[in-house]
Amino acid sequence: MQARAGTAASPPIAGSRRALILGGLAAALLPLGALRTAAAAAAPPLMLAGVYRRGMPLDDYWVSEKYDGVRAYWDGRQLRTRGGETIVAPAWFTAPLPATPMDGELWAGRGRFELSVSTVRSQTPTDAAWREMRFMVFDLPAQPGDFTARLAVLRRLLPITGATWIVPVPQQRATTHEALQALLDKTVKMGGEGLILHRGASPYRAERTVDLLKVKPFDDAEARVVSYVEGRGRHAGRMGALWVETPTGQRFKLGTGFSDAERNRPPPIGSWVTYRYQGTTAKGLPRFASFMRVREDG
């Protein structure tokens, strides 16, 4: 896989008619990226997870399942995505929620990520779709004290009688790496995505921190789409790969993991995508990177 680092101009795209078609497609999709950019100014201040590595101390960590849904922030009046967009949920879904800000995941169940996304993105909510959703609450951002203290308050607030769709995320104390790996294997076999570790003594900080750690069977990360590469052979006339840029400014080509539908309608320029990979090169670039999905929550 070819790759290069830096923040210079985007890699050139072949000047063929097919590349022009891709360019036109990019222009057609730009409004969605622009909408996310405009909404970013109102993005809620969320705590973001780092990645767990074997050997990291597990003292004082709580462990829970990592839900494969859409990150959602309840500000006391409305639900918002990680990017700040308002989530149009039915009134009955949010009515039981307290005025206390809550951090969680809108989740339709294991293996149902697409349903979660389509339901959250809809500007005309339907009861049938939202009846499938649960708001999995794992933290109280505005509550003072460390995570263990916030968890005690959360357990007093939830569950709410009659509102079975508002769920406090089950938490248990982490012990050893071997026990953590066994729990990860069990969760993945049942269709789960992975686990989350949360340090008990941590305050709620709106930044990426090792106080919050993802535990998954593979590494994943996010990068911003900067341009397209024209497809060849079976993929002629549509996207063959994406040039993406990491938050640190490194650029690489992401060419596997896409369905035919995703190649026909690739992620917008400027949008963020999630990819999985297996370690990094000496230059810090991901090895065997494969597309997973567009980051739908901003």
Side-chain angles (χ1 to χ4, degrees), residues 107-132:
W107 185 61
R110 293 170 178 153
R112 306 181 80 192
F113 174 77
E114 289 78 12
L115 176 60
S116 299
V117 170
S118 62
T119 301
V120 170
R121 290 184 64 185
S122 176
Q123 295 300 300
T124 306
T126 61
D127 281 359
W130 279 92
R131 294 289 180 195
E132 301 291 318

Side-chain angles (χ1 to χ4, degrees), residues 84-146:
E85 297 93 338
T86 298
I87 296 170
V88 185
W92 60 261
F93 190 93
T94 57
L97 285 164
T100 305
M102 293 181 165
D103 191 359
E105 195 91 358
L106 286 168
W107 185 61
R110 293 170 178 153
R112 306 181 80 192
F113 174 77
E114 289 78 12
L115 176 60
S116 299
V117 170
S118 62
T119 301
V120 170
R121 290 184 64 185
S122 176
Q123 295 300 300
T124 306
T126 61
D127 281 359
W130 279 92
R131 294 289 180 195
E132 301 291 318
M133 301 295 292
R134 281 167 274 178
F135 184 32
M136 308 298 294
V137 182
F138 47 73
D139 210 341
L140 303 175
Q143 181 67 32
D146 60 22

Side-chain angles (χ1 to χ4, degrees), residues 13-24 229-232 236-238:
I13 301 176
S16 68
R17 182 173 177 274
R18 293 192 182 104
L20 292 176
I21 293 173
L22 289 173
V229 177
E230 179 191 357
R232 296 182 178 180
R238 56 184 175 179

